[in-house]
Amino acid sequence: MRIAVRPADRQQVARLAQTLGVQPLTASLLLQRGLITSQSANAFLQPAPPKEVFPAGLPHLDEAIRRLVLAVKRQEKVFVIGDYDADGVTAACILAETLRAAGLTPVLRNGSRFTSGYGFHVQQVDEAAQAEARLIVTLDAGTTAWEAASRAKALGIDVIVIDHHDVPEKLPPVFALINPELPNHSFPEPYPCSAGLAWGVGLALCRALGLPDRVMDGLLDLAAIGTVADVVPLLGINRSFVHYGIEALRRTRRPGLRRLYALLKLAPERIDARSIGFRIAPCINAAGRLEDPEVAVTALIAEPQQAVAAAERLVTLNDRRRALTEEVAAAAQQQVEAHPGPVTVAYGPWHPGVVGIVAGKLAQRYGKPSIVFGQRDSTTYTGSARSVEAIDIMDLLEPLRAQTLSLGGHPQAAGLTVSAEQMEAIAAQLQQIEVEAPQQEPIVWADASVRVATFVHPQVVRELSYFPPFGEGNPEPLFAMKGRVKGLRRMGPMGEHLRFWLKERDAVAPLVWFSAPSLEADSVWLCLVSGRKNQWQGESSWEGIVERGIRGRKGSGV
């Protein structure tokens, strides 16, 4: 492994730093994110509230709003149908809550991984027709639902689709399709997930009906959860959603969320994008993975007693999901090591809700594309594939398409379904696939090389505090920093973590290294470090978290 530093145009850095009045390090980080003008950089550093900046140009928004306003005026029965993951659940909750604020009582439904599967289906249309609904709004699904849309049209039910998935050549016959992936529109990238799109549609509906913007302010907490969970780039409107949504999550009065915080031991004032992505969203996803997404919906928007009980159920399901993941991962790892190959493949009578997580773990562990299958029922297996950098998993799977019942995805992740009769043969074929990947020394990239004095400089610390929320498209900055190890102190139940000082000349930086290797006092290390503000007993301090480290040569001067 070697640590390399991303190149920077010094002239560009100097110009932007002077224009904004910021440190060169800050200007360099902004340029790496494609923020080359003072206007775009300022919008990043100080994002405006979504209600002030939600972009114009959503395709078919005007038609959808006219139809929704008509539904409100006629007091029609409206079915709101969402997907079963965190984005689909929060999107459906956002729209349902907006319609309730407008005076309707929508019927809220979410698909099931175990019955209907992903998407918008004919049986959902038939349920809406039986309930005498005149309008269906689907969220996070529906762009490819030709059969269900045709059924609804034949029954005289209008359908509005709010979605962000890939658009097929043949569009479904719906009343309005709000999807930024459609061609010939002016909505700017990066596009929101379905929760963000639902929030934008809700804002437009409130304004068309003369409702106050505070209706939508109260739904930013849900928009933030969906945005982080769906791993869309946290730039533009998505950054605004998460920045202000985190504030809303910290002060939320939703009883289900407050109970969830307590059970997860999350201090509301310390919630950030990482808390959402690694603590809150997995609980919401656990409902759809193992049981019914209705549990998550209840936790988010039901009355207090129901919401609290549902939140407790979410934590139980997530604990079960973790246990299942560990169990399946151990079994899958045994298979992989018994039959090594250029692609890791495993299958068994496992819960389909966790195979994607396990595939990701195997890909990370072995550095190879990984496919894991779980048994959906006696006749089919559901598989999830995860790849590694520079290898397109869809290219590997495409030759097997004719043998699958379904196959879809993108270069880094895919899903497929195969018959139980074909499972053994397909696994054997996958294990024999030839994979060509560039062979090179692993490189870990730093955003900048910094002196210790720069890392702890008060202005740098203050300006770095403007960069969260971190996530896709806005990764946490990593700095290469070299110095001598001082003041070693072990932490953790087994002493596996280290707290120490890195000294260069007269400057020192406090660092923490989790699961650290053996370090010696006065040894020289090149560390790859992220920075964070640490809160302890009401006091705030700045420290670095060591992500990687390389020991320097003896006699290195620092």
Side-chain angles (χ1 to χ4, degrees), residues 96-111:
E97 290 289 271
T98 307
L99 292 175
R100 285 173 186 158
L104 291 180
T105 306
V107 178
L108 179 53
R109 294 284 186 268
N110 283 80

Side-chain angles (χ1 to χ4, degrees), residues 31-47:
L31 288 167
Q32 286 176 11
R33 285 153 178 74
L35 305 165
I36 61 176
T37 67
S38 59
Q39 183 179 7
S40 62
N42 277 319
F44 175 88
L45 294 173
Q46 297 179 316

Side-chain angles (χ1 to χ4, degrees), residues 287-360:
R289 285 187 183 280
L290 301 186
E291 197 168 273
D292 190 326
E294 178 64 27
V295 180
V297 171
T298 302
L300 293 176
I301 62 172
E303 293 301 312
Q305 188 173 354
Q306 293 175 297
V308 166
E312 292 169 353
R313 181 63 182 159
L314 287 182
V315 173
T316 300
L317 287 171
N318 195 44
D319 289 343
R320 182 178 158 214
R321 187 270 308 165
R322 275 201 299 262
L324 272 172
T325 300
E326 291 175 7
E327 180 184 321
V328 173
Q333 190 175 322
Q334 283 187 335
Q335 282 192 28
V336 168
E337 292 182 354
H339 303 282
V343 175
T344 64
V345 183
Y347 66 95
W350 305 323
H351 199 295
V354 301
V355 294
I357 303 172
V358 174

Side-chain angles (χ1 to χ4, degrees), residues 91-141:
C93 288
I94 288 168
L95 191 72
E97 290 289 271
T98 307
L99 292 175
R100 285 173 186 158
L104 291 180
T105 306
V107 178
L108 179 53
R109 294 284 186 268
N110 283 80
S112 167
R113 187 186 296 267
F114 309 106
T115 55
S116 60
Y118 171 76
F120 173 41
H121 298 281
V122 168
Q123 57 264 43
Q124 294 168 327
V125 176
D126 289 342
E127 182 190 357
Q130 190 173 7
E132 299 183 344
R134 307 314 309 156
L135 177 63
I136 295 173
V137 185
T138 72
L139 298 111
D140 206 35

Side-chain angles (χ1 to χ4, degrees), residues 221-386:
D221 50 358
L222 302 184
I225 293 172
T227 299
V228 172
D230 220 50
V231 202
V232 292
L234 296 191
L235 298 170
I237 187 61
N238 296 328
R239 178 172 172 78
S240 185
F241 279 136
V242 179
H243 180 89
Y244 288 93
I246 285 172
E247 291 183 8
L249 282 165
R250 289 173 176 173
R251 62 174 187 268
T252 188
R253 292 186 175 182
R254 297 183 191 277
L257 281 179
R258 301 297 295 192
R259 182 59 179 154
L260 198 60
Y261 297 169
L263 292 168
L264 297 176
K265 295 181 171 55
L266 280 176
E269 67 276 9
R270 299 188 65 179
I271 287 171
D272 57 13
R274 180 178 289 273
S275 307
I276 298 171
F278 291 96
R279 307 293 300 283
I280 297 170
C283 289
I284 294 171
N285 276 324
R289 285 187 183 280
L290 301 186
E291 197 168 273
D292 190 326
E294 178 64 27
V295 180
V297 171
T298 302
L300 293 176
I301 62 172
E303 293 301 312
Q305 188 173 354
Q306 293 175 297
V308 166
E312 292 169 353
R313 181 63 182 159
L314 287 182
V315 173
T316 300
L317 287 171
N318 195 44
D319 289 343
R320 182 178 158 214
R321 187 270 308 165
R322 275 201 299 262
L324 272 172
T325 300
E326 291 175 7
E327 180 184 321
V328 173
Q333 190 175 322
Q334 283 187 335
Q335 282 192 28
V336 168
E337 292 182 354
H339 303 282
V343 175
T344 64
V345 183
Y347 66 95
W350 305 323
H351 199 295
V354 301
V355 294
I357 303 172
V358 174
K361 287 179 178 290
L362 293 179
Q364 187 175 31
R365 178 181 179 88
Y366 295 103
K368 301 175 183 179
S370 298
I371 305 105
V372 181
F373 294 86
Q375 194 162 9
R376 182 174 176 177
D377 52 44
S378 61
T379 62
T380 56
Y381 279 81
T382 297
S384 281
R386 299 292 184 269

Side-chain angles (χ1 to χ4, degrees), residues 179-204:
N179 188 327
E181 293 291 344
L182 285 166
N184 304 319
H185 65 80
S186 58
F187 195 85
E189 294 189 64
Y191 301 144
C193 63
S194 295
L197 293 173
W199 192 94
V201 171
L203 179 68

